[in-house]
Amino acid sequence: MAESTIWWVVAGIAVALELITGTFYLLMLAIGVAAAAIAAHLGADTTTQLVTAAIVGSCTVGGCYLIRSRRPSDAPAESNRDVNLDIGETVQVDGWNADGTATVKYRGANWTVIGTGDTQGAGPHRVRSVSGSRLVVEKI
């Protein structure tokens, strides 16, 4: 079996493992292995193929790591509008209970709301996050 065929088989195995595990880094290593296969097609010796796989694989993994580490992290799920569409919506609070909660009608159901900071006044409030079955709100 030709060396390039072995490299392509290893690249295919790396891609298959990436699909099973869901780690993006195995895909980057598969790119390095594919580069070694191309080097084998071009007639490079085994040492050059190994060095090519190591360098290209390391550079793609390192580049992927740098890009992901510089990207801002996502907000927690309870306050992330992409996860919970209630974030940012407006509710009308008519009055607050002594324990700092209130009950509002929202989306056809009664919800318990918790205020943040100076939110004890009646009126419109914006949903900041969802904590279990409670809405955490701030005064608008």
Side-chain angles (χ1 to χ4, degrees):
M1 188 179 310
E3 287 180 329
S4 61
T5 304
I6 295 170
W7 284 113
W8 287 119
V9 168
V10 171
I13 291 170
V15 169
L17 287 174
E18 188 276 328
L19 290 172
I20 291 170
T21 62
T23 60
F24 195 69
Y25 295 106
L26 275 174
L27 189 59
M28 299 295 104
L29 291 176
I31 292 172
V33 173
I38 293 171
H41 280 296
L42 295 174
D45 61 345
T46 304
T47 304
T48 305
Q49 294 170 27
L50 288 170
V51 169
T52 301
I55 290 174
V56 172
S58 298
C59 288
T60 55
V61 167
C64 180
Y65 175 77
L66 286 175
I67 289 171
R68 285 186 171 195
S69 66
R70 290 184 181 171
R71 188 178 69 187
S73 62
D74 294 332
E78 63 266 5
S79 61
N80 187 345
R81 175 107 171 122
D82 295 333
V83 175
N84 192 331
L85 296 178
D86 295 324
I87 308 302
E89 294 297 317
T90 303
V91 295
Q92 181 68 29
V93 177
D94 295 327
W96 291 90
N97 300 327
D99 63 353
T101 64
T103 302
V104 297
K105 189 85 166 173
Y106 176 63
R107 290 193 297 138
N110 288 328
W111 287 74
T112 301
V113 296
I114 304 169
T116 59
D118 184 27
T119 58
Q120 296 301 317
H125 288 69
R126 180 173 293 115
V127 177
R128 289 189 62 197
S129 65
V130 178
S131 177
S133 63
R134 295 179 172 201
L135 302 174
V136 179
V137 297
E138 65 183 354
K139 186 143 179 75
I140 298 178

